[in-house]
Amino acid sequence: MLQSLAGSSCVRLVERHRSAWCFGFLVLGYLLYLVFGAVVFSSVELPYEDLLRQELRKLKRRFLEEHECLSEQQLEQFLGRVLEASNYGVSVLSNASGNWNWDFTSALFFASTVLSTTGYGHTVPLSDGGKAFCIIYSVIGIPFTLLFLTAVVQRVTIHVTRRPVLYFHVRWGFSKQMVAIVHAVLLGFVTVSCFFFIPAAVFSILEDDWNFLESFYFCFISLSTIGLGDYVPGEGYNQKFRELYKIGITCYLLLGLIAMLVVLETFCELHELKKFRKMFYVKKDKDEDRVHIIEHDQLSFSSIADQAGGPKEDRKQNEPFVSLQSSAHPDGSAGN
């Protein structure tokens, strides 16, 4: 008897704080996922980093042996300056001297990466004025971009997602939930094909040093706004039609970001995902809901009263002489 009562009380306690338990498991799962990613990246990339360090040490030792007139300190000063310039997108290599980082098309590409928060990091402002302007430009531009993308995605979602789903549901009588799931999967497949696979094939042809995996990697890193900057198109030696190429990449990134947001919005509108998300949200109290309902009813009543009182005031304003006469001569005999 006592065990059954204790068990039922535990069940009621868990059900009462179900959202908090789900949120706790969500935080724990996210932390474990972070640790899992760190373990995998470390185990995969650390051996390659060690090999690269050993190779660089051998090259440095060999170079100093072949050039005895140059001290190790002078070489390190020169390499430090070269690496510092490379971090700002400036290279001393002869095959990279023809590309400018701040011509109009490159600046347009940089502005698009800043506003979309992609930020490859291959080109950064050099002057203090440029850094200050970048801060002000981003503070205004990023919310402006979010507003722009939200408005565009809302309109595109109506024509691409909601109307087709409603049409098949009403016209053919299919289940709305099933139609929404099939439509979301098809839309995701079309988006991945048009903005990942096909552009990856194009980049693997246009970029001499990229294979298909590296091109697909660039597309994913860019459209997910991660923007690591290890692969940036249009930076090769003697790139043909570089200005037009940069403008095309800017348009691709903007359209691809819109397509990604439309797909995410389509999946977020699925009934199953809505139910899943609500598991981690804080539930509103009944008293709070009752207050919202009362406030809404009061606002509705006041608006109705204003609408009802409006015509009376209009009639009074349109008949000034009648109102004056009725107020001044209530018995009708004052005129005599």
Side-chain angles (χ1 to χ4, degrees):
M1 183 68 178
L2 293 176
Q3 292 179 353
S4 61
L5 291 176
S8 61
S9 62
C10 291
V11 171
R12 287 196 300 269
L13 181 63
V14 171
E15 287 294 332
R16 185 181 303 173
H17 302 282
R18 183 180 179 182
S19 176
W21 283 101
C22 291
F23 180 74
F25 284 119
L26 178 66
V27 173
L28 179 61
Y30 187 76
L31 294 177
L32 291 176
Y33 194 71
L34 284 176
V35 174
F36 169 73
V39 171
V40 173
F41 283 126
S42 178
S43 60
V44 172
E45 296 297 330
L46 191 59
Y48 287 93
E49 181 185 0
D50 185 53
L51 290 176
L52 184 58
R53 287 177 180 272
Q54 294 179 8
E55 182 181 356
L56 289 177
R57 292 193 190 99
K58 292 179 181 178
L59 289 175
K60 178 182 175 182
R61 191 182 307 113
R62 188 184 309 168
F63 183 84
L64 291 174
E65 291 175 355
E66 294 177 355
H67 303 81
E68 298 179 355
C69 59
L70 185 64
S71 64
E72 183 177 0
Q73 183 179 2
Q74 292 175 336
L75 178 61
E76 289 185 353
Q77 290 178 354
F78 173 74
L79 293 177
R81 182 56 180 164
V82 169
L83 292 176
E84 182 182 358
S86 179
N87 292 332
Y88 286 95
V90 179
S91 177
V92 298
L93 299 177
S94 59
N95 58 359
S97 59
N99 297 331
W100 292 91
N101 294 323
W102 291 106
D103 55 356
F104 177 76
T105 54
S106 298
L108 180 65
F109 180 69
F110 172 78
S112 67
T113 59
V114 169
L115 295 183
S116 62
T117 67
T118 303
Y120 292 112
H122 70 295
T123 301
V124 293
L126 301 176
S127 62
D128 293 338
K131 295 174 183 177
F133 176 75
C134 184
I135 295 174
I136 300 173
Y137 185 72
S138 301
V139 168
I140 300 174
I142 292 177
F144 188 23
T145 303
L146 293 177
L147 176 63
F148 166 73
L149 292 176
T150 302
V152 172
V153 170
Q154 190 266 344
R155 282 164 172 76
V156 173
T157 303
I158 292 175
H159 297 283
V160 174
T161 298
R162 296 173 184 171
R163 288 186 178 178
V165 171
L166 186 62
Y167 172 80
F168 280 98
H169 172 63
V170 175
R171 180 68 175 81
W172 300 100
F174 295 114
S175 173
K176 191 173 182 180
Q177 296 181 8
M178 184 60 64
V179 173
I181 293 174
V182 174
H183 175 268
V185 173
L186 290 177
L187 183 63
F189 176 77
V190 172
T191 303
V192 170
S193 300
C194 295
F195 290 94
F196 286 92
F197 286 107
I198 295 177
V202 173
F203 283 128
S204 63
I205 296 173
L206 296 179
E207 298 291 333
D208 297 333
D209 300 332
W210 294 13
N211 55 29
F212 181 81
L213 177 60
E214 293 170 337
S215 301
F216 188 88
Y217 169 80
F218 163 76
C219 295
F220 177 80
I221 293 298
S222 299
L223 297 184
S224 59
T225 67
I226 297 175
L228 296 178
D230 47 351
Y231 290 92
V232 180
E235 300 296 325
Y237 176 61
N238 289 334
Q239 177 72 50
K240 295 181 179 180
F241 306 105
R242 185 172 183 269
E243 291 78 10
L244 184 61
Y245 189 33
K246 284 286 187 180
I247 294 176
I249 296 170
T250 304
C251 296
Y252 160 73
L253 293 177
L254 183 60
L255 294 176
L257 185 59
I258 293 174
M260 289 286 291
L261 292 176
V262 169
V263 172
L264 290 176
E265 180 68 19
T266 301
F267 274 93
C268 288
E269 288 185 355
L270 294 178
H271 180 69
E272 290 75 9
L273 290 181
K274 286 183 179 179
K275 290 176 60 178
F276 180 74
R277 294 201 309 270
K278 288 181 180 179
M279 293 173 56
F280 309 101
Y281 294 165
V282 177
K283 294 183 179 180
K284 293 183 178 180
D285 296 333
K286 293 182 179 180
D287 295 337
E288 185 178 351
D289 293 337
R290 192 179 297 112
V291 169
H292 289 313
I293 293 173
I294 293 174
E295 291 178 352
H296 182 269
D297 291 341
Q298 290 176 350
L299 290 174
S300 301
F301 179 76
S302 62
S303 63
I304 293 173
D306 292 339
Q307 292 177 1
K312 294 182 180 179
E313 294 178 357
D314 294 339
R315 286 197 299 269
K316 290 180 179 179
Q317 291 178 357
N318 293 330
E319 300 176 358
F321 298 105
V322 175
S323 60
L324 287 173
Q325 291 176 0
S326 60
S327 60
H329 311 289
D331 56 351
S333 62
N336 297 325

